[in-house]
Amino acid sequence: MKENSVLANIYNNICRDTGNQNESAKLIAVVRFLTLSLITHSLINCVLVSFTGHIRGMVLSVLSLILFLAIFVFSYNCSTFMSYCALNVSILFWTILNVYYFGWNIGIQHFLVVLVVFVFFCKYKREKAKVTYVVLLFLLRLLLYFYCQSHNPAVALDIRVANAMQTVNSFFIFLCLALLAYLFSSTTQEMEGKLIEYNRKLEKQANTDTLTGLYNRRRTIEYLEKLLDDPSEQISICLCDIDFFKRVNDTYGHDVGDEVLRKISDTFRKKLPPDTFISRWGGEEFLLIFPHMNGDEAGTALEILRQKIKTVIFDGVTETFSVTLTYGLIEYDFHSDITTVLKEADEKLYLGKESGRDRIVF
């Protein structure tokens, strides 16, 4: 629907809020859509009843039309709660009068079911009042049924007119129920979607490092514990860090240091195999997990990464520079716990630092 189309303007006007505080914009839209449905229903009934020639039936149909038109206008000038109550009471007495005038066979009594759905979907948390109201609606329906068993309708309808009214009533009852279900469930679905998205964002914030966008230490431990709990294939793990990173911060400042961390992280994403689990372990340290890879395969991937990182140029404001990383790589032995695994990787990294840096120790 185009934003400035006639239909869009009509829809927006129907959904317009009353402007009162603590009122539901969704509920007032439901009230108006239901009222418009009943206005249309009353118009059709006026045409059908005109074929009967019964003045009282015509008067009831015309009065119904005026009543629902008045409620529609009323909804723009009064509170949502007052409009909601007015529509409830009007449908209730309108149903009773229609059953009295036209009888049980036209099916108008099923609008009481619409009221049941309407009252439970509305936002007002008055559970006892709602239950009491529904019980009264049930008793009223029984009363109307037994009344019609012993009393003829005030207006005797031709069978064709009665069938036509039954069809019209059935259509509008289903329409009203569909409107209620759609309009109220759309809010629920929208809120559920927002909640899912919000939870996804929270989960991402809890599991990722804000600076680099890599997984954080907490998420890495969870992943590694799960992976080592029942490994079905070979796993390789690498602990690496940026050589002389403190010198970078001291020489060029922490902003440049942060940019180094970000660019290094981007290089990891681009150059490592797609299923590599990449995390910022802390400071300038990174933990890389290679599922389905033995040590030799992981070493080959790391060598490609090592060579690439040496070519990445950083802007130090007064000069450009590059950095190197040292890598401690181990192949999981299928029985060590997570503490042992990480300790072994750290020892390999330490050996690399001691033996000159910018190398892979496996």
Side-chain angles (χ1 to χ4, degrees):
M1 192 184 295
K2 293 182 180 179
E3 189 173 342
N4 294 320
S5 68
V6 174
L7 288 177
N9 289 332
I10 292 173
Y11 177 81
N12 291 333
N13 193 50
I14 292 172
C15 296
R16 193 177 73 199
D17 198 357
T18 59
N20 294 335
Q21 290 185 347
N22 302 319
E23 291 284 351
S24 169
K26 178 65 69 176
L27 181 56
I28 197 62
V30 172
V31 168
R32 288 172 188 151
F33 275 113
L34 283 183
T35 307
L36 285 174
S37 300
L38 293 169
I39 289 170
T40 308
H41 177 278
S42 299
L43 277 170
I44 296 173
N45 258 11
C46 284
V47 175
L48 291 175
V49 175
S50 67
F51 291 113
T52 68
H54 290 285
I55 301 300
R56 287 186 297 174
M58 278 296 299
V59 169
L60 175 62
S61 298
V62 172
L63 288 176
S64 299
L65 177 60
I66 294 171
L67 173 65
F68 292 123
L69 279 170
I71 291 174
F72 187 76
V73 174
F74 182 76
S75 70
Y76 287 93
N77 298 285
C78 294
S79 69
T80 300
F81 180 72
M82 290 299 295
S83 301
Y84 161 78
C85 291
L87 183 58
N88 260 281
V89 172
S90 298
I91 293 176
L92 187 61
F93 284 101
W94 171 74
T95 303
I96 294 170
L97 287 173
N98 272 271
V99 171
Y100 170 76
Y101 273 96
F102 302 116
W104 188 261
N105 291 333
I106 65 168
I108 197 78
Q109 66 278 0
H110 297 305
F111 270 100
L112 297 178
V113 177
V114 174
L115 288 181
V116 172
V117 177
F118 189 30
V119 74
F120 272 112
F121 268 144
C122 81
K123 76 180 185 71
Y124 303 108
K125 296 180 179 179
R126 301 174 181 179
E127 302 304 326
K128 290 183 179 179
K130 289 180 180 181
V131 171
T132 303
Y133 183 52
V134 170
V135 171
L136 291 175
L137 289 175
F138 169 71
L139 294 175
L140 173 63
R141 190 181 187 282
L142 286 181
L143 180 62
L144 290 173
Y145 174 76
F146 288 115
Y147 173 83
C148 291
Q149 294 300 303
S150 56
H151 295 79
N152 292 323
V155 177
L157 295 174
D158 179 87
I159 186 64
R160 290 173 298 179
V161 176
N163 287 339
M165 292 184 75
Q166 171 71 243
T167 302
V168 169
N169 288 332
S170 296
F171 172 80
F172 278 94
I173 287 163
F174 274 84
L175 176 63
C176 289
L177 288 173
L179 280 172
L180 285 169
Y182 173 74
L183 292 170
F184 281 114
S185 67
S186 63
T187 301
T188 303
Q189 292 167 7
E190 182 183 351
M191 292 304 295
E192 185 178 356
K194 288 181 179 179
L195 183 61
I196 290 171
E197 182 60 27
Y198 180 67
N199 286 337
R200 189 181 292 117
K201 287 180 180 178
L202 286 179
E203 184 178 0
K204 184 177 179 181
Q205 289 174 0
N207 291 331
T208 57
D209 172 61
T210 54
L211 177 65
T212 62
L214 300 179
Y215 290 113
N216 60 19
R217 192 185 189 105
R218 171 183 170 276
R219 177 70 183 102
T220 305
I221 297 243
E222 289 177 356
Y223 176 80
L224 197 53
E225 284 178 341
K226 185 177 180 180
L227 202 61
L228 301 188
D229 186 48
D230 185 24
S232 56
E233 295 185 49
Q234 187 64 65
I235 304 163
S236 296
I237 299 165
C238 172
L239 187 63
C240 56
D241 80 357
I242 303 171
D243 297 326
F244 304 113
F245 186 69
K246 185 177 183 302
R247 186 184 300 170
V248 172
N249 281 329
D250 292 344
T251 304
Y252 305 108
H254 287 280
D255 289 343
V256 174
D258 289 347
E259 184 60 23
V260 169
L261 291 170
R262 280 192 286 264
K263 277 195 176 182
I264 292 295
S265 301
D266 289 339
T267 307
F268 284 160
R269 293 188 191 96
K270 292 173 183 175
K271 291 299 176 181
L272 289 172
D275 60 348
T276 306
F277 188 94
I278 310 168
S279 70
R280 185 182 179 191
W281 191 240
E284 68 272 25
E285 280 191 329
F286 302 89
L287 188 69
L288 312 175
I289 303 171
F290 301 89
H292 322 301
M293 278 193 182
N294 60 34
D296 291 333
E297 292 168 331
T300 300
L302 286 173
E303 180 58 29
I304 294 171
L305 175 70
R306 188 182 74 86
Q307 295 295 339
K308 176 61 182 176
I309 284 177
K310 291 167 69 173
T311 67
V312 177
I313 302 300
F314 301 96
D315 183 8
V317 182
T318 58
E319 60 181 347
T320 58
F321 66 96
S322 60
V323 298
T324 60
L325 274 75
T326 303
Y327 309 81
L329 174 65
I330 66 160
E331 184 179 292
Y332 183 55
D333 58 11
F334 289 95
H335 63 78
S336 297
D337 60 22
I338 188 170
T339 303
T340 303
V341 167
L342 293 174
K343 183 179 178 182
E344 289 178 3
D346 189 56
E347 288 172 352
K348 298 285 187 182
L349 174 61
Y350 180 77
L351 286 175
K353 294 286 188 183
E354 288 294 304
S355 56
R357 294 180 168 82
D358 184 26
R359 63 194 61 215
I360 302 164
V361 177
F362 173 45

